[in-house]
Amino acid sequence: PICRPNGVSDLYSALKAYRSAAAASLSQPAFCVFSNKELDALVAARPCSVEALRRVGGFGAAKCSNA
């Protein structure tokens, strides 16, 4: 397990829950929504705009078009 500072674990858990729900609604595995590596990058970057999200590895135009 990866050790995360306080607050980051909550964000990580919330994003994992979102990923699971999005995957279920698409009838796809969770990694098709975004991978664990992309999840880690998202938590580390904590983007607050679509422009900032697009700078996170793995979050290009296709993934950000629904943001």
Side-chain angles (χ1 to χ4, degrees), residues 11-52:
L11 176 59
Y12 189 86
S13 296
L15 287 170
K16 276 186 80 168
Y18 166 80
R19 179 178 70 171
S20 295
S25 73
L26 297 169
S27 299
Q28 295 184 350
F31 69 84
C32 290
V33 176
F34 48 84
S35 69
N36 286 342
K37 183 177 179 179
E38 292 166 339
L39 176 61
D40 288 337
L42 186 58
V43 169
R46 293 181 169 208
C48 56
S49 67
V50 175
E51 293 78 24

